[in-house]
């Protein structure tokens, strides 16, 4: 029974990712995608994260990682955006990790 619920929850996370992914720069949608990916990762069995990303996320695994990092460091990203609103996702992640 618990396994079915977990599958349903993971599928719900996949649908949530699909509903908000596709932006070109850091935004609240980017943060939401990262939050959904973080939640989905906690539900996916060990060793199944990369296959899940490939099957359920429209971007690549590195892109998924960038979304997660942005969600985890959103306050820092917002500060960076205040100084440079044209900042790319890749550059925001790089700076947020510093």
């Amino acid at each position: 029974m618990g396994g079915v619920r977990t599958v349903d929850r993971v599928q719900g996370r996949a649908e949530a990712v699909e509903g908000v992914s596709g932006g070109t720069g850091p935004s609240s949608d980017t943060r939401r995608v990262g939050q959904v990916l973080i939640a989905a990762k906690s539900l996916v069995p060990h060793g199944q994260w990369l296959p899940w990303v490939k099957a359920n996320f429209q971007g690549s695994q590195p892109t998924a990682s960038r979304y997660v990092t942005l969600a985890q460091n959103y306050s820092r990203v917002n500060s960076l955006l205040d100084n440079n609103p044209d900042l790319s996702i890749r550059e925001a992640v790089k700076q947020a990790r510093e």
Side-chain angles (χ1 to χ4, degrees):
M1 185 83 160
V4 172
R5 269 193 237 131
T6 299
V7 169
D8 290 344
R9 289 171 65 196
V10 169
Q11 182 59 37
R13 297 297 182 200
E15 290 166 3
V17 167
E18 185 177 323
V20 295
S21 62
T24 57
S27 67
S28 61
D29 283 347
T30 305
R31 180 184 189 187
R32 286 180 35 217
V33 171
Q35 290 169 330
V36 168
L37 288 168
I38 290 166
K41 188 172 183 178
S42 72
L43 299 172
V44 174
H46 180 75
Q48 296 303 306
W49 176 240
L50 296 180
W52 186 91
V53 169
K54 187 173 182 175
N56 295 287
F57 183 67
Q58 294 175 353
S60 65
Q61 187 278 324
T63 300
S65 292
R66 283 192 290 276
Y67 281 116
V68 167
T69 299
L70 283 167
Q72 292 170 331
N73 298 284
Y74 197 70
S75 294
R76 170 94 171 108
V77 170
N78 274 337
S79 294
L80 293 168
L81 288 174
D82 286 343
N83 295 323
N84 185 359
D86 296 324
L87 195 63
S88 71
I89 290 174
R90 186 165 289 160
E91 188 59 29
V93 168
K94 180 180 173 183
Q95 291 183 28
R97 288 182 176 157
E98 294 175 350

